[in-house]
């Protein structure tokens, strides 16, 4: 059978692969599975994308460029906010919000694509690791720098750690929203993206503003907000992590 040049088939393959990768992972999905989901023949997948790795790379490219562009646009606007607290919240929101856009809105990145990223990261796929470093590191450095300007007393290493925690929270919120609904006994809707964004921004800002353990003495002198007992407890946890 001759290979198709139909661009609609190419999009159908991309959509099918994204759906399957985001629900089953990369390793468990075969070319044949993708072809079946897309209503294509396996040869058309190798024609358009060469391999399963090439297909995954194309999925990342079509999402990440627009997502990073939107994040930087929002970041530039956030950095114009004069109030430091409001600016920090705007910076965090600029990072979080594009990931929660509709899965059909490529300019926003898509919730389904973020779930795919979470699943790929959990698998520890080497192909994905290379893609992430190439596509995301420059944008992530820009956000870390902006947070550092709003929180100049924090070491960059601490901001990196806390940014990593944000990424994990973002992934899990999108991968498993039903857990929020279940644990709240239905009082919260884990699929409510607007609420999820606000909760995640609020929690992340609080995390970023927490005292750095390595600089707790100087930080407490500046802020005058830490109780002596809390300082002692933090020091004890650092010095005796096994306790």
């Amino acid at each position: 059978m001759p290979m198709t040049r139909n661009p609609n088939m190419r999009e159908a393959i991309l959509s099918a692969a994204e759906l399957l990768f985001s629900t089953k992972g990369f390793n468990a999905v075969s070319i044949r599975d993708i072809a079946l989901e897309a209503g294509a023949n396996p040869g058309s997948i190798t024609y358009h994308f060469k391999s399963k790795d090439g297909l995954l790379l194309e999925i990342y490219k079509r999402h990440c460029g627009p997502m990073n562009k939107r994040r930087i646009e929002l970041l530039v606007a956030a950095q114009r906010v004069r109030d430091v607290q409001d600016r920090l919240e705007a910076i965090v929101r600029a990072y979080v919000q594009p990931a929660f856009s509709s899965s059909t809105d490529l300019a926003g990145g898509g919730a389904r694509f973020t779930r795919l990223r979470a699943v790929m990261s959990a698998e520890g796929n080497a192909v994905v690791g290379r893609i992430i470093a190439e596509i995301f590191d420059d944008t992530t450095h820009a956000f870390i720098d902006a947070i550092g300007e709003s929180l100049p007393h924090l070491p960059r290493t601490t901001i990196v750690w806390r940014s990593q925690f944000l990424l994990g929270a973002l992934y899990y919120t999108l991968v498993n929203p039903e857990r929020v609904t279940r644990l709240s006994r239905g009082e919260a809707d884990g699929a409510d993206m607007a609420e999820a964004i606000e909760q995640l921004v609020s929690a992340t800002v609080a995390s970023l503003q927490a005292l750095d353990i390595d600089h707790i003495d100087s930080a407490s002198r500046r802020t005058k907000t830490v109780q002596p007992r809390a300082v002692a407890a933090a020091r004890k946890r650092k010095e005796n992590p096994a306790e």
Side-chain angles (χ1 to χ4, degrees), residues 174-195:
L174 284 158
V175 169
N176 197 8
E178 63 275 8
R179 190 169 190 269
V180 172
T181 306
R182 185 179 74 252
L183 292 181
S184 67
R185 296 188 173 96
E187 294 184 17
D189 179 7
D192 184 340
M193 291 189 179
E195 178 67 12

PDB file of all heavy atoms in Angstrom, residues 174-195:
ATOM      1  N   LEU A 174      -2.190  17.459  37.447  1.00  0.00           N
ATOM      2  CA  LEU A 174      -2.804  17.180  36.158  1.00  0.00           C
ATOM      3  C   LEU A 174      -2.964  15.689  35.894  1.00  0.00           C
ATOM      4  O   LEU A 174      -3.904  15.262  35.230  1.00  0.00           O
ATOM      5  CB  LEU A 174      -1.969  17.821  35.046  1.00  0.00           C
ATOM      6  CG  LEU A 174      -2.166  19.335  34.931  1.00  0.00           C
ATOM      7  CD1 LEU A 174      -0.993  19.993  34.230  1.00  0.00           C
ATOM      8  CD2 LEU A 174      -3.457  19.658  34.203  1.00  0.00           C
ATOM      9  N   VAL A 175      -2.065  14.894  36.426  1.00  0.00           N
ATOM     10  CA  VAL A 175      -2.131  13.453  36.203  1.00  0.00           C
ATOM     11  C   VAL A 175      -3.258  12.815  37.004  1.00  0.00           C
ATOM     12  O   VAL A 175      -3.937  11.903  36.536  1.00  0.00           O
ATOM     13  CB  VAL A 175      -0.788  12.795  36.574  1.00  0.00           C
ATOM     14  CG1 VAL A 175      -0.912  11.282  36.620  1.00  0.00           C
ATOM     15  CG2 VAL A 175       0.276  13.177  35.562  1.00  0.00           C
ATOM     16  N   ASN A 176      -3.502  13.291  38.221  1.00  0.00           N
ATOM     17  CA  ASN A 176      -4.416  12.592  39.124  1.00  0.00           C
ATOM     18  C   ASN A 176      -5.391  13.547  39.810  1.00  0.00           C
ATOM     19  O   ASN A 176      -5.444  13.623  41.037  1.00  0.00           O
ATOM     20  CB  ASN A 176      -3.583  11.834  40.180  1.00  0.00           C
ATOM     21  CG  ASN A 176      -4.386  10.763  40.888  1.00  0.00           C
ATOM     22  OD1 ASN A 176      -5.518  10.468  40.508  1.00  0.00           O
ATOM     23  ND2 ASN A 176      -3.807  10.192  41.927  1.00  0.00           N
ATOM     24  N   PRO A 177      -6.175  14.314  39.050  1.00  0.00           N
ATOM     25  CA  PRO A 177      -7.090  15.273  39.665  1.00  0.00           C
ATOM     26  C   PRO A 177      -8.194  14.618  40.500  1.00  0.00           C
ATOM     27  O   PRO A 177      -8.698  15.215  41.456  1.00  0.00           O
ATOM     28  CB  PRO A 177      -7.685  16.025  38.467  1.00  0.00           C
ATOM     29  CG  PRO A 177      -7.544  15.067  37.328  1.00  0.00           C
ATOM     30  CD  PRO A 177      -6.265  14.333  37.580  1.00  0.00           C
ATOM     31  N   GLU A 178      -8.547  13.381  40.131  1.00  0.00           N
ATOM     32  CA  GLU A 178      -9.633  12.713  40.857  1.00  0.00           C
ATOM     33  C   GLU A 178      -9.281  12.455  42.318  1.00  0.00           C
ATOM     34  O   GLU A 178     -10.161  12.292  43.165  1.00  0.00           O
ATOM     35  CB  GLU A 178     -10.021  11.404  40.170  1.00  0.00           C
ATOM     36  CG  GLU A 178      -8.938  10.345  40.104  1.00  0.00           C
ATOM     37  CD  GLU A 178      -8.002  10.498  38.913  1.00  0.00           C
ATOM     38  OE1 GLU A 178      -8.098  11.519  38.203  1.00  0.00           O
ATOM     39  OE2 GLU A 178      -7.162   9.595  38.711  1.00  0.00           O
ATOM     40  N   ARG A 179      -7.992  12.433  42.639  1.00  0.00           N
ATOM     41  CA  ARG A 179      -7.581  12.192  44.030  1.00  0.00           C
ATOM     42  C   ARG A 179      -8.031  13.347  44.931  1.00  0.00           C
ATOM     43  O   ARG A 179      -8.429  13.131  46.085  1.00  0.00           O
ATOM     44  CB  ARG A 179      -6.065  12.004  44.110  1.00  0.00           C
ATOM     45  CG  ARG A 179      -5.578  11.504  45.460  1.00  0.00           C
ATOM     46  CD  ARG A 179      -4.113  11.085  45.382  1.00  0.00           C
ATOM     47  NE  ARG A 179      -3.692  10.397  46.590  1.00  0.00           N
ATOM     48  CZ  ARG A 179      -3.162  11.001  47.650  1.00  0.00           C
ATOM     49  NH1 ARG A 179      -2.989  12.312  47.641  1.00  0.00           N
ATOM     50  NH2 ARG A 179      -2.810  10.313  48.711  1.00  0.00           N
ATOM     51  N   VAL A 180      -7.967  14.562  44.409  1.00  0.00           N
ATOM     52  CA  VAL A 180      -8.435  15.721  45.167  1.00  0.00           C
ATOM     53  C   VAL A 180      -9.922  15.592  45.445  1.00  0.00           C
ATOM     54  O   VAL A 180     -10.398  15.815  46.572  1.00  0.00           O
ATOM     55  CB  VAL A 180      -8.146  17.023  44.391  1.00  0.00           C
ATOM     56  CG1 VAL A 180      -8.801  18.228  45.072  1.00  0.00           C
ATOM     57  CG2 VAL A 180      -6.646  17.249  44.270  1.00  0.00           C
ATOM     58  N   THR A 181     -10.674  15.197  44.432  1.00  0.00           N
ATOM     59  CA  THR A 181     -12.120  15.034  44.592  1.00  0.00           C
ATOM     60  C   THR A 181     -12.429  13.960  45.622  1.00  0.00           C
ATOM     61  O   THR A 181     -13.295  14.138  46.495  1.00  0.00           O
ATOM     62  CB  THR A 181     -12.750  14.663  43.241  1.00  0.00           C
ATOM     63  OG1 THR A 181     -12.376  15.645  42.264  1.00  0.00           O
ATOM     64  CG2 THR A 181     -14.266  14.611  43.354  1.00  0.00           C
ATOM     65  N   ARG A 182     -11.705  12.851  45.539  1.00  0.00           N
ATOM     66  CA  ARG A 182     -11.964  11.735  46.454  1.00  0.00           C
ATOM     67  C   ARG A 182     -11.604  12.080  47.895  1.00  0.00           C
ATOM     68  O   ARG A 182     -12.398  11.850  48.819  1.00  0.00           O
ATOM     69  CB  ARG A 182     -11.179  10.502  45.998  1.00  0.00           C
ATOM     70  CG  ARG A 182     -11.489   9.253  46.818  1.00  0.00           C
ATOM     71  CD  ARG A 182     -10.703   8.043  46.329  1.00  0.00           C
ATOM     72  NE  ARG A 182      -9.294   8.098  46.690  1.00  0.00           N
ATOM     73  CZ  ARG A 182      -8.301   8.332  45.834  1.00  0.00           C
ATOM     74  NH1 ARG A 182      -8.561   8.543  44.554  1.00  0.00           N
ATOM     75  NH2 ARG A 182      -7.045   8.353  46.239  1.00  0.00           N
ATOM     76  N   LEU A 183     -10.416  12.631  48.115  1.00  0.00           N
ATOM     77  CA  LEU A 183      -9.968  12.902  49.477  1.00  0.00           C
ATOM     78  C   LEU A 183     -10.734  14.049  50.130  1.00  0.00           C
ATOM     79  O   LEU A 183     -10.828  14.116  51.358  1.00  0.00           O
ATOM     80  CB  LEU A 183      -8.466  13.202  49.485  1.00  0.00           C
ATOM     81  CG  LEU A 183      -7.556  12.012  49.139  1.00  0.00           C
ATOM     82  CD1 LEU A 183      -6.099  12.424  49.195  1.00  0.00           C
ATOM     83  CD2 LEU A 183      -7.809  10.838  50.082  1.00  0.00           C
ATOM     84  N   SER A 184     -11.265  14.938  49.311  1.00  0.00           N
ATOM     85  CA  SER A 184     -12.082  16.023  49.877  1.00  0.00           C
ATOM     86  C   SER A 184     -13.531  15.596  50.062  1.00  0.00           C
ATOM     87  O   SER A 184     -14.373  16.400  50.459  1.00  0.00           O
ATOM     88  CB  SER A 184     -12.033  17.250  48.961  1.00  0.00           C
ATOM     89  OG  SER A 184     -12.683  16.987  47.730  1.00  0.00           O
ATOM     90  N   ARG A 185     -13.799  14.316  49.767  1.00  0.00           N
ATOM     91  CA  ARG A 185     -15.163  13.755  49.836  1.00  0.00           C
ATOM     92  C   ARG A 185     -16.129  14.557  48.975  1.00  0.00           C
ATOM     93  O   ARG A 185     -17.283  14.792  49.358  1.00  0.00           O
ATOM     94  CB  ARG A 185     -15.640  13.686  51.289  1.00  0.00           C
ATOM     95  CG  ARG A 185     -14.816  12.747  52.168  1.00  0.00           C
ATOM     96  CD  ARG A 185     -15.437  12.555  53.529  1.00  0.00           C
ATOM     97  NE  ARG A 185     -14.731  11.528  54.288  1.00  0.00           N
ATOM     98  CZ  ARG A 185     -13.777  11.786  55.175  1.00  0.00           C
ATOM     99  NH1 ARG A 185     -13.409  13.035  55.396  1.00  0.00           N
ATOM    100  NH2 ARG A 185     -13.187  10.810  55.829  1.00  0.00           N
ATOM    101  N   GLY A 186     -15.637  14.983  47.822  1.00  0.00           N
ATOM    102  CA  GLY A 186     -16.486  15.669  46.866  1.00  0.00           C
ATOM    103  C   GLY A 186     -16.634  17.154  47.092  1.00  0.00           C
ATOM    104  O   GLY A 186     -17.290  17.843  46.303  1.00  0.00           O
ATOM    105  N   GLU A 187     -16.054  17.682  48.159  1.00  0.00           N
ATOM    106  CA  GLU A 187     -16.183  19.115  48.417  1.00  0.00           C
ATOM    107  C   GLU A 187     -15.317  19.957  47.488  1.00  0.00           C
ATOM    108  O   GLU A 187     -15.566  21.141  47.295  1.00  0.00           O
ATOM    109  CB  GLU A 187     -15.842  19.414  49.878  1.00  0.00           C
ATOM    110  CG  GLU A 187     -16.838  18.818  50.868  1.00  0.00           C
ATOM    111  CD  GLU A 187     -16.525  19.212  52.310  1.00  0.00           C
ATOM    112  OE1 GLU A 187     -15.766  20.184  52.497  1.00  0.00           O
ATOM    113  OE2 GLU A 187     -17.035  18.555  53.220  1.00  0.00           O
ATOM    114  N   ALA A 188     -14.273  19.361  46.941  1.00  0.00           N
ATOM    115  CA  ALA A 188     -13.432  20.037  45.951  1.00  0.00           C
ATOM    116  C   ALA A 188     -13.457  19.228  44.664  1.00  0.00           C
ATOM    117  O   ALA A 188     -13.568  18.008  44.686  1.00  0.00           O
ATOM    118  CB  ALA A 188     -12.000  20.164  46.464  1.00  0.00           C
ATOM    119  N   ASP A 189     -13.380  19.933  43.548  1.00  0.00           N
ATOM    120  CA  ASP A 189     -13.365  19.288  42.247  1.00  0.00           C
ATOM    121  C   ASP A 189     -11.945  19.353  41.692  1.00  0.00           C
ATOM    122  O   ASP A 189     -11.470  20.421  41.298  1.00  0.00           O
ATOM    123  CB  ASP A 189     -14.344  20.005  41.304  1.00  0.00           C
ATOM    124  CG  ASP A 189     -14.361  19.391  39.906  1.00  0.00           C
ATOM    125  OD1 ASP A 189     -13.710  18.337  39.703  1.00  0.00           O
ATOM    126  OD2 ASP A 189     -15.032  19.957  39.027  1.00  0.00           O
ATOM    127  N   GLY A 190     -11.272  18.218  41.682  1.00  0.00           N
ATOM    128  CA  GLY A 190      -9.895  18.196  41.201  1.00  0.00           C
ATOM    129  C   GLY A 190      -9.754  18.577  39.747  1.00  0.00           C
ATOM    130  O   GLY A 190      -8.665  18.952  39.303  1.00  0.00           O
ATOM    131  N   ALA A 191     -10.826  18.500  38.990  1.00  0.00           N
ATOM    132  CA  ALA A 191     -10.791  18.859  37.574  1.00  0.00           C
ATOM    133  C   ALA A 191     -11.046  20.341  37.338  1.00  0.00           C
ATOM    134  O   ALA A 191     -11.026  20.785  36.190  1.00  0.00           O
ATOM    135  CB  ALA A 191     -11.820  18.031  36.808  1.00  0.00           C
ATOM    136  N   ASP A 192     -11.294  21.094  38.400  1.00  0.00           N
ATOM    137  CA  ASP A 192     -11.520  22.541  38.284  1.00  0.00           C
ATOM    138  C   ASP A 192     -10.166  23.220  38.066  1.00  0.00           C
ATOM    139  O   ASP A 192      -9.414  23.471  39.011  1.00  0.00           O
ATOM    140  CB  ASP A 192     -12.192  23.064  39.549  1.00  0.00           C
ATOM    141  CG  ASP A 192     -12.560  24.545  39.471  1.00  0.00           C
ATOM    142  OD1 ASP A 192     -11.980  25.262  38.621  1.00  0.00           O
ATOM    143  OD2 ASP A 192     -13.407  24.980  40.259  1.00  0.00           O
ATOM    144  N   MET A 193      -9.837  23.526  36.821  1.00  0.00           N
ATOM    145  CA  MET A 193      -8.506  24.027  36.504  1.00  0.00           C
ATOM    146  C   MET A 193      -8.246  25.403  37.100  1.00  0.00           C
ATOM    147  O   MET A 193      -7.128  25.690  37.547  1.00  0.00           O
ATOM    148  CB  MET A 193      -8.309  24.061  34.984  1.00  0.00           C
ATOM    149  CG  MET A 193      -8.220  22.691  34.354  1.00  0.00           C
ATOM    150  SD  MET A 193      -7.747  22.770  32.618  1.00  0.00           S
ATOM    151  CE  MET A 193      -7.709  21.028  32.218  1.00  0.00           C
ATOM    152  N   ALA A 194      -9.268  26.262  37.105  1.00  0.00           N
ATOM    153  CA  ALA A 194      -9.077  27.602  37.671  1.00  0.00           C
ATOM    154  C   ALA A 194      -8.722  27.518  39.150  1.00  0.00           C
ATOM    155  O   ALA A 194      -7.811  28.211  39.634  1.00  0.00           O
ATOM    156  CB  ALA A 194     -10.334  28.447  37.467  1.00  0.00           C
ATOM    157  N   GLU A 195      -9.408  26.649  39.880  1.00  0.00           N
ATOM    158  CA  GLU A 195      -9.116  26.465  41.302  1.00  0.00           C
ATOM    159  C   GLU A 195      -7.744  25.822  41.495  1.00  0.00           C
ATOM    160  O   GLU A 195      -6.987  26.205  42.396  1.00  0.00           O
ATOM    161  CB  GLU A 195     -10.198  25.595  41.943  1.00  0.00           C
ATOM    162  CG  GLU A 195      -9.989  25.285  43.424  1.00  0.00           C
ATOM    163  CD  GLU A 195     -10.115  26.500  44.332  1.00  0.00           C
ATOM    164  OE1 GLU A 195     -10.599  27.562  43.859  1.00  0.00           O
ATOM    165  OE2 GLU A 195      -9.750  26.403  45.524  1.00  0.00           O
TER     166      GLU A 195
END
